mmCIF file of all heavy atoms in Angstrom:
data_model
loop_
_atom_site.group_PDB
_atom_site.id
_atom_site.type_symbol
_atom_site.label_atom_id
_atom_site.label_comp_id
_atom_site.label_asym_id
_atom_site.label_seq_id
_atom_site.Cartn_x
_atom_site.Cartn_y
_atom_site.Cartn_z
ATOM 1 N N THR A 206 4.186 2.584 -4.352
ATOM 2 C CA THR A 206 5.224 1.864 -3.618
ATOM 3 C C THR A 206 4.745 0.455 -3.285
ATOM 4 O O THR A 206 3.552 0.203 -3.137
ATOM 5 C CB THR A 206 5.604 2.580 -2.310
ATOM 6 O OG1 THR A 206 4.444 2.682 -1.461
ATOM 7 C CG2 THR A 206 6.172 3.962 -2.581
ATOM 8 N N LEU A 207 5.704 -0.447 -3.169
ATOM 9 C CA LEU A 207 5.460 -1.811 -2.704
ATOM 10 C C LEU A 207 6.482 -2.124 -1.631
ATOM 11 O O LEU A 207 7.692 -1.991 -1.852
ATOM 12 C CB LEU A 207 5.594 -2.812 -3.849
ATOM 13 C CG LEU A 207 4.372 -3.121 -4.711
ATOM 14 C CD1 LEU A 207 4.770 -4.015 -5.886
ATOM 15 C CD2 LEU A 207 3.279 -3.804 -3.885
ATOM 16 N N THR A 208 6.020 -2.544 -0.461
ATOM 17 C CA THR A 208 6.910 -2.802 0.665
ATOM 18 C C THR A 208 6.630 -4.176 1.248
ATOM 19 O O THR A 208 5.473 -4.541 1.468
ATOM 20 C CB THR A 208 6.720 -1.746 1.771
ATOM 21 O OG1 THR A 208 6.821 -0.442 1.209
ATOM 22 C CG2 THR A 208 7.763 -1.913 2.866
ATOM 23 N N VAL A 209 7.691 -4.945 1.520
ATOM 24 C CA VAL A 209 7.556 -6.254 2.153
ATOM 25 C C VAL A 209 7.970 -6.131 3.618
ATOM 26 O O VAL A 209 9.145 -5.890 3.920
ATOM 27 C CB VAL A 209 8.414 -7.326 1.451
ATOM 28 C CG1 VAL A 209 8.219 -8.688 2.139
ATOM 29 C CG2 VAL A 209 8.041 -7.429 -0.020
ATOM 30 N N ASN A 210 7.010 -6.281 4.515
ATOM 31 C CA ASN A 210 7.265 -6.232 5.954
ATOM 32 C C ASN A 210 7.182 -7.626 6.551
ATOM 33 O O ASN A 210 6.730 -8.573 5.901
ATOM 34 C CB ASN A 210 6.236 -5.328 6.646
ATOM 35 C CG ASN A 210 6.230 -3.917 6.084
ATOM 36 O OD1 ASN A 210 7.268 -3.280 6.008
ATOM 37 N ND2 ASN A 210 5.060 -3.439 5.673
ATOM 38 N N GLU A 211 7.598 -7.729 7.797
ATOM 39 C CA GLU A 211 7.511 -8.997 8.529
ATOM 40 C C GLU A 211 6.446 -8.864 9.596
ATOM 41 O O GLU A 211 6.379 -7.854 10.297
ATOM 42 C CB GLU A 211 8.853 -9.343 9.151
ATOM 43 C CG GLU A 211 8.913 -10.739 9.744
ATOM 44 C CD GLU A 211 10.323 -11.132 10.144
ATOM 45 O OE1 GLU A 211 11.105 -10.219 10.517
ATOM 46 O OE2 GLU A 211 10.656 -12.323 10.085
ATOM 47 N N SER A 212 5.593 -9.891 9.731
ATOM 48 C CA SER A 212 4.521 -9.803 10.713
ATOM 49 C C SER A 212 4.071 -11.215 11.095
ATOM 50 O O SER A 212 4.673 -12.212 10.679
ATOM 51 C CB SER A 212 3.352 -8.991 10.150
ATOM 52 O OG SER A 212 2.371 -8.769 11.125
ATOM 53 N N PHE A 213 2.998 -11.268 11.892
ATOM 54 C CA PHE A 213 2.372 -12.539 12.256
ATOM 55 C C PHE A 213 0.876 -12.444 11.972
ATOM 56 O O PHE A 213 0.261 -11.401 12.191
ATOM 57 C CB PHE A 213 2.597 -12.861 13.738
ATOM 58 C CG PHE A 213 4.004 -13.262 14.054
ATOM 59 C CD1 PHE A 213 4.945 -12.300 14.383
ATOM 60 C CD2 PHE A 213 4.385 -14.596 14.022
ATOM 61 C CE1 PHE A 213 6.246 -12.659 14.667
ATOM 62 C CE2 PHE A 213 5.689 -14.964 14.305
ATOM 63 C CZ PHE A 213 6.627 -13.985 14.628
ATOM 64 N N TYR A 214 0.324 -13.528 11.499
ATOM 65 C CA TYR A 214 -1.122 -13.607 11.300
ATOM 66 C C TYR A 214 -1.616 -14.842 12.028
ATOM 67 O O TYR A 214 -1.263 -15.966 11.683
ATOM 68 C CB TYR A 214 -1.461 -13.697 9.807
ATOM 69 C CG TYR A 214 -2.943 -13.820 9.556
ATOM 70 C CD1 TYR A 214 -3.754 -12.692 9.581
ATOM 71 C CD2 TYR A 214 -3.537 -15.059 9.322
ATOM 72 C CE1 TYR A 214 -5.127 -12.798 9.368
ATOM 73 C CE2 TYR A 214 -4.898 -15.179 9.111
ATOM 74 C CZ TYR A 214 -5.689 -14.040 9.138
ATOM 75 O OH TYR A 214 -7.034 -14.149 8.938
ATOM 76 N N LYS A 215 -2.381 -14.610 13.099
ATOM 77 C CA LYS A 215 -2.860 -15.704 13.938
ATOM 78 C C LYS A 215 -1.703 -16.617 14.348
ATOM 79 O O LYS A 215 -1.751 -17.840 14.187
ATOM 80 C CB LYS A 215 -3.960 -16.494 13.228
ATOM 81 C CG LYS A 215 -5.215 -15.679 12.959
ATOM 82 C CD LYS A 215 -6.315 -16.494 12.297
ATOM 83 C CE LYS A 215 -7.567 -15.640 12.090
ATOM 84 N NZ LYS A 215 -8.663 -16.392 11.425
ATOM 85 N N SER A 216 -0.634 -15.957 14.829
ATOM 86 C CA SER A 216 0.576 -16.613 15.361
ATOM 87 C C SER A 216 1.451 -17.262 14.292
ATOM 88 O O SER A 216 2.453 -17.903 14.614
ATOM 89 C CB SER A 216 0.219 -17.677 16.423
ATOM 90 O OG SER A 216 -0.492 -17.082 17.486
ATOM 91 N N LYS A 217 1.111 -17.093 13.021
ATOM 92 C CA LYS A 217 1.924 -17.665 11.943
ATOM 93 C C LYS A 217 2.795 -16.574 11.327
ATOM 94 O O LYS A 217 2.308 -15.476 11.028
ATOM 95 C CB LYS A 217 1.030 -18.282 10.863
ATOM 96 C CG LYS A 217 0.186 -19.446 11.364
ATOM 97 C CD LYS A 217 -0.753 -19.950 10.277
ATOM 98 C CE LYS A 217 -1.629 -21.087 10.790
ATOM 99 N NZ LYS A 217 -2.601 -21.551 9.762
ATOM 100 N N PRO A 218 4.088 -16.847 11.124
ATOM 101 C CA PRO A 218 4.972 -15.839 10.504
ATOM 102 C C PRO A 218 4.589 -15.591 9.053
ATOM 103 O O PRO A 218 4.413 -16.536 8.277
ATOM 104 C CB PRO A 218 6.361 -16.465 10.616
ATOM 105 C CG PRO A 218 6.122 -17.931 10.743
ATOM 106 C CD PRO A 218 4.803 -18.093 11.448
ATOM 107 N N VAL A 219 4.429 -14.319 8.691
ATOM 108 C CA VAL A 219 3.989 -13.979 7.340
ATOM 109 C C VAL A 219 4.794 -12.799 6.786
ATOM 110 O O VAL A 219 5.407 -12.028 7.535
ATOM 111 C CB VAL A 219 2.489 -13.600 7.317
ATOM 112 C CG1 VAL A 219 1.625 -14.779 7.690
ATOM 113 C CG2 VAL A 219 2.214 -12.399 8.223
ATOM 114 N N PHE A 220 4.761 -12.692 5.456
ATOM 115 C CA PHE A 220 5.173 -11.466 4.780
ATOM 116 C C PHE A 220 3.948 -10.565 4.702
ATOM 117 O O PHE A 220 2.906 -10.976 4.188
ATOM 118 C CB PHE A 220 5.670 -11.754 3.365
ATOM 119 C CG PHE A 220 6.943 -12.547 3.296
ATOM 120 C CD1 PHE A 220 6.940 -13.834 2.780
ATOM 121 C CD2 PHE A 220 8.143 -12.003 3.731
ATOM 122 C CE1 PHE A 220 8.109 -14.567 2.701
ATOM 123 C CE2 PHE A 220 9.328 -12.734 3.664
ATOM 124 C CZ PHE A 220 9.302 -14.011 3.151
ATOM 125 N N HIS A 221 4.072 -9.363 5.221
ATOM 126 C CA HIS A 221 2.978 -8.399 5.130
ATOM 127 C C HIS A 221 3.356 -7.405 4.043
ATOM 128 O O HIS A 221 4.198 -6.537 4.237
ATOM 129 C CB HIS A 221 2.782 -7.697 6.480
ATOM 130 C CG HIS A 221 1.720 -6.647 6.458
ATOM 131 N ND1 HIS A 221 1.660 -5.630 7.382
ATOM 132 C CD2 HIS A 221 0.663 -6.450 5.611
ATOM 133 C CE1 HIS A 221 0.623 -4.851 7.111
ATOM 134 N NE2 HIS A 221 0.010 -5.326 6.042
ATOM 135 N N VAL A 222 2.749 -7.548 2.876
ATOM 136 C CA VAL A 222 3.066 -6.697 1.733
ATOM 137 C C VAL A 222 2.047 -5.566 1.664
ATOM 138 O O VAL A 222 0.838 -5.803 1.707
ATOM 139 C CB VAL A 222 3.052 -7.496 0.414
ATOM 140 C CG1 VAL A 222 3.401 -6.579 -0.756
ATOM 141 C CG2 VAL A 222 4.015 -8.675 0.482
ATOM 142 N N VAL A 223 2.565 -4.336 1.565
ATOM 143 C CA VAL A 223 1.709 -3.160 1.478
ATOM 144 C C VAL A 223 1.983 -2.437 0.166
ATOM 145 O O VAL A 223 3.128 -2.070 -0.122
ATOM 146 C CB VAL A 223 1.947 -2.199 2.658
ATOM 147 C CG1 VAL A 223 1.048 -0.966 2.529
ATOM 148 C CG2 VAL A 223 1.695 -2.906 3.984
ATOM 149 N N GLY A 224 0.936 -2.239 -0.625
ATOM 150 C CA GLY A 224 1.055 -1.483 -1.867
ATOM 151 C C GLY A 224 0.233 -0.212 -1.779
ATOM 152 O O GLY A 224 -0.929 -0.245 -1.356
ATOM 153 N N LYS A 225 0.837 0.909 -2.148
ATOM 154 C CA LYS A 225 0.145 2.200 -2.125
ATOM 155 C C LYS A 225 0.291 2.872 -3.483
ATOM 156 O O LYS A 225 1.346 2.781 -4.120
ATOM 157 C CB LYS A 225 0.721 3.116 -1.049
ATOM 158 C CG LYS A 225 0.632 2.583 0.365
ATOM 159 C CD LYS A 225 1.291 3.557 1.345
ATOM 160 C CE LYS A 225 1.302 3.026 2.755
ATOM 161 N NZ LYS A 225 1.991 3.963 3.689
ATOM 162 N N GLY A 226 -0.752 3.571 -3.909
ATOM 163 C CA GLY A 226 -0.694 4.319 -5.159
ATOM 164 C C GLY A 226 -1.500 5.591 -5.046
ATOM 165 O O GLY A 226 -2.563 5.601 -4.422
ATOM 166 N N TRP A 227 -0.982 6.678 -5.630
ATOM 167 C CA TRP A 227 -1.688 7.954 -5.542
ATOM 168 C C TRP A 227 -1.320 8.840 -6.738
ATOM 169 O O TRP A 227 -0.237 8.725 -7.309
ATOM 170 C CB TRP A 227 -1.343 8.671 -4.235
ATOM 171 C CG TRP A 227 0.119 8.983 -4.063
ATOM 172 C CD1 TRP A 227 0.761 10.143 -4.378
ATOM 173 C CD2 TRP A 227 1.134 8.108 -3.548
ATOM 174 N NE1 TRP A 227 2.110 10.058 -4.094
ATOM 175 C CE2 TRP A 227 2.361 8.817 -3.574
ATOM 176 C CE3 TRP A 227 1.127 6.790 -3.058
ATOM 177 C CZ2 TRP A 227 3.558 8.257 -3.147
ATOM 178 C CZ3 TRP A 227 2.325 6.236 -2.628
ATOM 179 C CH2 TRP A 227 3.511 6.969 -2.677
ATOM 180 N N THR A 228 -2.261 9.671 -7.140
ATOM 181 C CA THR A 228 -2.008 10.602 -8.235
ATOM 182 C C THR A 228 -1.291 11.842 -7.703
ATOM 183 O O THR A 228 -1.386 12.188 -6.530
ATOM 184 C CB THR A 228 -3.328 11.026 -8.901
ATOM 185 O OG1 THR A 228 -4.271 11.395 -7.893
ATOM 186 C CG2 THR A 228 -3.890 9.923 -9.755
ATOM 187 N N THR A 229 -0.566 12.518 -8.625
ATOM 188 C CA THR A 229 0.156 13.734 -8.269
ATOM 189 C C THR A 229 -0.039 14.777 -9.367
ATOM 190 O O THR A 229 -0.487 14.464 -10.473
ATOM 191 C CB THR A 229 1.669 13.464 -8.109
ATOM 192 O OG1 THR A 229 2.170 12.924 -9.346
ATOM 193 C CG2 THR A 229 1.950 12.483 -6.976
ATOM 194 N N GLY A 230 0.315 16.020 -9.052
ATOM 195 C CA GLY A 230 0.303 17.079 -10.053
ATOM 196 C C GLY A 230 -1.064 17.360 -10.633
ATOM 197 O O GLY A 230 -2.101 17.204 -9.989
ATOM 198 N N ALA A 231 -1.064 17.727 -11.927
ATOM 199 C CA ALA A 231 -2.289 18.160 -12.595
ATOM 200 C C ALA A 231 -3.330 17.052 -12.670
ATOM 201 O O ALA A 231 -4.532 17.319 -12.628
ATOM 202 C CB ALA A 231 -1.956 18.671 -13.993
ATOM 203 N N VAL A 232 -2.876 15.792 -12.787
ATOM 204 C CA VAL A 232 -3.824 14.678 -12.900
ATOM 205 C C VAL A 232 -4.724 14.599 -11.668
ATOM 206 O O VAL A 232 -5.926 14.330 -11.769
ATOM 207 C CB VAL A 232 -3.072 13.350 -13.103
ATOM 208 C CG1 VAL A 232 -4.037 12.167 -13.036
ATOM 209 C CG2 VAL A 232 -2.350 13.345 -14.441
ATOM 210 N N SER A 233 -4.147 14.844 -10.499
ATOM 211 C CA SER A 233 -4.936 14.737 -9.262
ATOM 212 C C SER A 233 -5.998 15.827 -9.160
ATOM 213 O O SER A 233 -6.923 15.726 -8.352
ATOM 214 C CB SER A 233 -4.010 14.794 -8.047
ATOM 215 O OG SER A 233 -3.337 16.035 -7.975
ATOM 216 N N TRP A 234 -5.886 16.876 -9.976
ATOM 217 C CA TRP A 234 -6.898 17.940 -9.938
ATOM 218 C C TRP A 234 -8.232 17.453 -10.478
ATOM 219 O O TRP A 234 -9.286 17.860 -9.986
ATOM 220 C CB TRP A 234 -6.429 19.152 -10.751
ATOM 221 C CG TRP A 234 -5.182 19.788 -10.242
ATOM 222 C CD1 TRP A 234 -4.582 19.593 -9.033
ATOM 223 C CD2 TRP A 234 -4.357 20.720 -10.952
ATOM 224 N NE1 TRP A 234 -3.433 20.337 -8.937
ATOM 225 C CE2 TRP A 234 -3.266 21.045 -10.099
ATOM 226 C CE3 TRP A 234 -4.428 21.315 -12.206
ATOM 227 C CZ2 TRP A 234 -2.270 21.931 -10.478
ATOM 228 C CZ3 TRP A 234 -3.426 22.196 -12.587
ATOM 229 C CH2 TRP A 234 -2.361 22.504 -11.726
ATOM 230 N N PHE A 235 -8.179 16.599 -11.520
ATOM 231 C CA PHE A 235 -9.438 16.147 -12.116
ATOM 232 C C PHE A 235 -9.709 14.655 -11.910
ATOM 233 O O PHE A 235 -10.816 14.186 -12.189
ATOM 234 C CB PHE A 235 -9.476 16.473 -13.613
ATOM 235 C CG PHE A 235 -8.371 15.861 -14.426
ATOM 236 C CD1 PHE A 235 -8.505 14.589 -14.952
ATOM 237 C CD2 PHE A 235 -7.198 16.564 -14.683
ATOM 238 C CE1 PHE A 235 -7.496 14.017 -15.710
ATOM 239 C CE2 PHE A 235 -6.182 15.996 -15.443
ATOM 240 C CZ PHE A 235 -6.333 14.726 -15.957
ATOM 241 N N PHE A 236 -8.718 13.901 -11.428
ATOM 242 C CA PHE A 236 -8.951 12.480 -11.158
ATOM 243 C C PHE A 236 -8.019 12.049 -10.022
ATOM 244 O O PHE A 236 -6.908 11.594 -10.247
ATOM 245 C CB PHE A 236 -8.694 11.632 -12.407
ATOM 246 C CG PHE A 236 -9.180 10.210 -12.272
ATOM 247 C CD1 PHE A 236 -10.518 9.904 -12.482
ATOM 248 C CD2 PHE A 236 -8.314 9.187 -11.943
ATOM 249 C CE1 PHE A 236 -10.976 8.595 -12.367
ATOM 250 C CE2 PHE A 236 -8.756 7.876 -11.824
ATOM 251 C CZ PHE A 236 -10.094 7.589 -12.037
ATOM 252 N N LYS A 237 -8.495 12.210 -8.809
ATOM 253 C CA LYS A 237 -7.670 11.892 -7.647
ATOM 254 C C LYS A 237 -7.756 10.409 -7.307
ATOM 255 O O LYS A 237 -8.842 9.833 -7.253
ATOM 256 C CB LYS A 237 -8.124 12.724 -6.437
ATOM 257 C CG LYS A 237 -7.213 12.570 -5.229
ATOM 258 C CD LYS A 237 -7.634 13.504 -4.110
ATOM 259 C CE LYS A 237 -6.682 13.360 -2.920
ATOM 260 N NZ LYS A 237 -7.042 14.279 -1.808
ATOM 261 N N VAL A 238 -6.594 9.807 -7.108
ATOM 262 C CA VAL A 238 -6.519 8.393 -6.743
ATOM 263 C C VAL A 238 -5.737 8.245 -5.446
ATOM 264 O O VAL A 238 -4.675 8.854 -5.277
ATOM 265 C CB VAL A 238 -5.834 7.559 -7.848
ATOM 266 C CG1 VAL A 238 -5.558 6.134 -7.366
ATOM 267 C CG2 VAL A 238 -6.694 7.524 -9.098
ATOM 268 N N GLU A 239 -6.266 7.453 -4.556
ATOM 269 C CA GLU A 239 -5.552 7.097 -3.323
ATOM 270 C C GLU A 239 -5.908 5.657 -2.985
ATOM 271 O O GLU A 239 -6.981 5.376 -2.460
ATOM 272 C CB GLU A 239 -5.946 8.042 -2.179
ATOM 273 C CG GLU A 239 -5.043 7.909 -0.975
ATOM 274 C CD GLU A 239 -5.249 9.009 0.053
ATOM 275 O OE1 GLU A 239 -5.928 10.003 -0.279
ATOM 276 O OE2 GLU A 239 -4.741 8.871 1.177
#
């Protein structure tokens, strides 16, 4: 997932983008990614 949030960094207005990735199903049994 990729999400664009609104936030502040040292009082400056910023886009806070969060990217997450994870394995599922059989693949996660032998190669887990988070």
Side-chain angles (χ1 to χ4, degrees):
T206 60
L207 272 173
T208 308
V209 181
N210 303 307
E211 189 170 31
S212 186
F213 288 89
Y214 178 81
K215 296 182 178 179
S216 301
K217 297 176 182 177
V219 295
F220 293 113
H221 177 201
V222 181
V223 179
K225 300 178 184 178
W227 60 94
T228 48
T229 58
V232 173
S233 63
W234 298 346
F235 59 87
F236 192 82
K237 187 175 182 179
V238 171
E239 192 169 348

